[in-house]
Amino acid sequence: MPSNSATFVAGLTAAALTTVGFLAFHASANAPAGPAEPLRSGAPAKAASAHRDKERSAALPDDSGVGERVVYALSGDRVWLVGSNDEVKRTFKVAPGSVDPLPGSYDVSSRSGAVTGTDGTPIEHVVRFTTVDGVTIGFSAALDGSLPEADPTVKTGGIRETVADGNAMWDFATIGQRIIVIR
């Protein structure tokens, strides 16, 4: 009997190590490439974006992943809706909130057709993908078409789009859709 027990324990150990290895690989595949930088956490969007690229190109950045995805570039306040063949279906400028998400890969976690934004503005087509320090981050379109500058006194995670761009995002970014945030 001792050899059967030893075989059983060896099998359990091998299964546990395989599971841990798989989980470690999966976690590393979804981790950002470099160390996290500090968040703006309430800093005004304009002041924090002073270092942002002057050119703000509409070309899809090389470091934005592959396959169907939404790409959000913090450095240019720009979004790309990218099809499965890496074809850009649409690109547009956005107005970020006062809190940025960290660069990395996310999935759309929830959506709302119409709500009131943190700033009291009626918004539609809300596509949420992460939370930073208790602040929900997501794309939305103000019904009045406004793209306001973030209020530095209020922590907001709403990334505002025009109504037309919000419609396109709503149609493209369903629950589970990948969102890639890059610098």
Side-chain angles (χ1 to χ4, degrees):
M1 273 293 186
S3 84
N4 284 344
S5 295
T7 303
F8 181 72
V9 170
L12 284 177
T13 302
L17 290 173
T18 300
T19 302
V20 168
F22 172 78
L23 292 174
F25 171 77
H26 184 67
S28 69
N30 290 313
E37 291 186 19
L39 300 174
R40 289 198 318 231
S41 293
K46 286 291 181 188
S49 66
H51 69 280
R52 294 186 177 188
D53 298 339
K54 291 180 182 179
E55 204 171 277
R56 298 186 183 207
S57 173
L60 180 65
D62 292 334
D63 62 345
S64 66
V66 295
E68 186 173 282
R69 64 203 181 274
V70 174
V71 177
Y72 173 39
L74 300 170
S75 65
D77 297 328
R78 180 169 289 281
V79 169
W80 293 263
L81 306 181
V82 184
S84 59
N85 59 354
D86 287 339
E87 175 189 351
V88 175
K89 302 219 174 261
R90 186 181 187 104
T91 184
F92 49 90
K93 299 286 290 171
V94 294
S98 61
V99 179
D100 277 339
L102 289 173
S105 179
Y106 304 89
D107 292 327
V108 173
S109 55
S110 70
R111 298 172 13 126
S112 295
V115 297
T116 300
T118 307
D119 61 358
T121 302
I123 57 176
E124 67 178 356
H125 297 153
V126 182
V127 175
R128 299 175 196 90
F129 61 94
T130 192
T131 302
V132 175
D133 294 333
V135 177
T136 301
I137 310 290
F139 301 101
S140 63
L143 291 176
D144 65 6
S146 65
L147 295 171
E149 186 174 321
D151 180 347
T153 64
V154 180
K155 289 185 177 185
T156 60
I159 304 162
R160 290 283 170 82
E161 316 158 305
T162 66
V163 172
D165 293 333
N167 289 338
M169 176 70 78
W170 183 257
D171 291 340
F172 187 83
T174 57
I175 297 292
Q177 176 64 56
R178 203 162 34 121
I179 307 283
I180 305 294
V181 177
I182 61 174
R183 293 240 175 262

